[in-house]
Amino acid sequence: MENSDLLVLNFAKGLAREAGLLAKRKIGNLGWTHTKSGFYDIVTDADLAVEKMVKSEISSVFPEDSILSEETGETKTLSNGRVWIVDPIDGTTNFSKGIPHFCVSIALVINGDPQIGVVYDPYMDELYEAVKGNGAFMNGEPISVSKTSELKEAVLNTGYQYSATEYRDIVLKNYVAFFGKVMAIRVFGSAVLDQCYVANGRIDGFWEYSLKPWDVAAGSLVAKEAGATVTGIGENFSVYGKTILVTNSKLVDKILDIINNGR
Ligand code: IPD
Ligand code: CA
Ligand code: CA
């Protein structure tokens, strides 16, 4: 790994840990909560506080880079192709109910391609990290995807955008199509952790429609570097696309067959 990547990685890891612990301290003391695009799309004062802290540290260390973050959008500086993509709390609905399953996600994306991804789950005290081409790690140990090859042995996760109605029918159709064909279908409520759970083999696959760059920038890199196949659904995968399927190479065609053909 290049020395410059290592420096950026260490910065991002320290920042994700600091941000996750800040969120954790706020979980019992939510302050106000209000809605964004619709009733179910909420933001808490913790989302804003964590985002503010993360953005301010990134811009003080890397003043020439852009930052794209969920609650405040993009801060454009020079067009050097480097964008930090940040989800201050992924799993806000869980967080707002005191459910300890959420994380902080920070990625450095260069010309549309994730180069560094860091995810921190403060309750599990699990830090996921990946640098493109250098593998994926959880708390410093290498991780890899599951070897599950049969659908009936697979535990799959999915999720859905809180307020989007665009994919409602497809989400329900897929649920029905998978029902009875796989060991279990879960909706844990953090798309970023879902991708990390594919990376460390806890689950065998994850798919979702209508995601945003901050939901996939770091998680998709961690998963790819752990050996996952990452693809879009009916489109090529891109950090700026909408859909994602993350699984191992033995399950990918079987899962796509169910999604595309209902069988
Ligand atoms: C959400 C979570 C959820 C997923 C939604 C995302 P947020 O992110 O990742 O699991 O199903 O599509 O919007 O709003 O908690 O950062
Ligand atoms: Ca969020
Ligand atoms: Ca999110």
Side-chain angles (χ1 to χ4, degrees):
M1 186 189 312
E2 306 234 340
N3 221 10
S4 53
D5 282 343
L6 189 60
L7 287 174
V8 179
L9 175 67
N10 285 337
F11 163 77
K13 281 163 66 177
L15 185 55
R17 201 180 278 281
E18 191 187 343
L21 294 175
L22 174 61
K24 187 179 175 188
R25 283 200 298 279
K26 288 180 173 287
I27 195 171
N29 177 21
L30 278 182
W32 54 267
T33 300
H34 79 134
T35 60
K36 296 190 284 186
S37 60
F39 179 79
Y40 300 109
D41 188 10
I42 58 173
V43 56
T44 69
D45 65 347
D47 292 274
L48 299 174
V50 172
E51 183 164 302
K52 192 170 169 200
M53 187 275 275
V54 170
K55 282 182 85 165
S56 124
E57 291 208 21
I58 293 173
S59 54
S60 71
V61 179
F62 299 100
E64 302 193 338
D65 295 354
S66 299
I67 306 172
L68 170 62
S69 52
E70 179 171 10
E71 313 304 345
T72 45
E74 185 157 10
T75 311
K76 274 213 172 73
T77 51
L78 296 182
S79 52
N80 61 3
R82 290 165 54 100
V83 185
W84 291 81
I85 300 189
V86 175
D87 197 336
I89 297 179
D90 183 64
T92 291
T93 303
N94 286 349
F95 179 87
S96 74
K97 295 282 184 185
I99 299 168
H101 186 76
F102 63 89
C103 64
V104 175
S105 174
I106 300 174
L108 174 63
V109 174
I110 303 183
N111 297 324
D113 206 15
Q115 183 67 26
I116 287 171
V118 171
V119 174
Y120 184 56
D121 172 347
Y123 273 89
M124 293 289 276
D125 190 23
E126 288 177 341
L127 185 81
Y128 299 86
E129 62 181 269
V131 174
K132 190 178 174 188
N134 286 280
F137 301 83
M138 185 182 85
N139 291 349
E141 297 295 324
I143 50 175
S144 56
V145 293
S146 77
K147 295 187 170 53
T148 306
S149 58
E150 298 299 326
L151 279 176
K152 64 178 191 303
E153 291 167 6
V155 173
L156 304 182
N157 267 41
T158 188
Y160 49 90
Q161 200 69 27
Y162 304 124
S163 36
T165 49
E166 191 184 349
Y167 292 105
R168 181 182 175 276
D169 292 347
I170 227 162
V171 165
L172 296 174
K173 183 178 94 30
N174 279 336
Y175 202 93
V176 171
F178 279 105
F179 200 86
K181 296 195 180 76
V182 295
M183 184 176 276
I185 310 164
R186 301 282 186 243
V187 182
F188 287 166
S190 163
V192 177
L193 285 178
D194 290 342
Q195 292 158 78
C196 293
Y197 277 27
V198 175
N200 64 17
R202 285 183 185 148
I203 61 172
D204 303 295
F206 162 67
W207 82 91
E208 187 167 342
Y209 298 79
S210 199
L211 288 171
K212 295 289 192 335
W214 42 84
D215 296 316
V216 296
S220 65
L221 181 63
V222 169
K224 263 187 201 160
E225 290 297 324
T229 303
V230 178
T231 174
I233 304 172
E235 61 180 2
N236 290 329
F237 175 74
S238 153
V239 162
Y240 298 101
K242 281 186 155 184
T243 63
I244 194 171
L245 166 63
V246 188
T247 183
N248 70 36
S249 59
K250 296 172 186 144
L251 288 172
V252 63
D253 289 340
K254 297 177 184 178
I255 292 174
L256 278 174
D257 196 33
I258 295 187
I259 287 175
N260 292 328
N261 306 312
R263 60 180 161 79

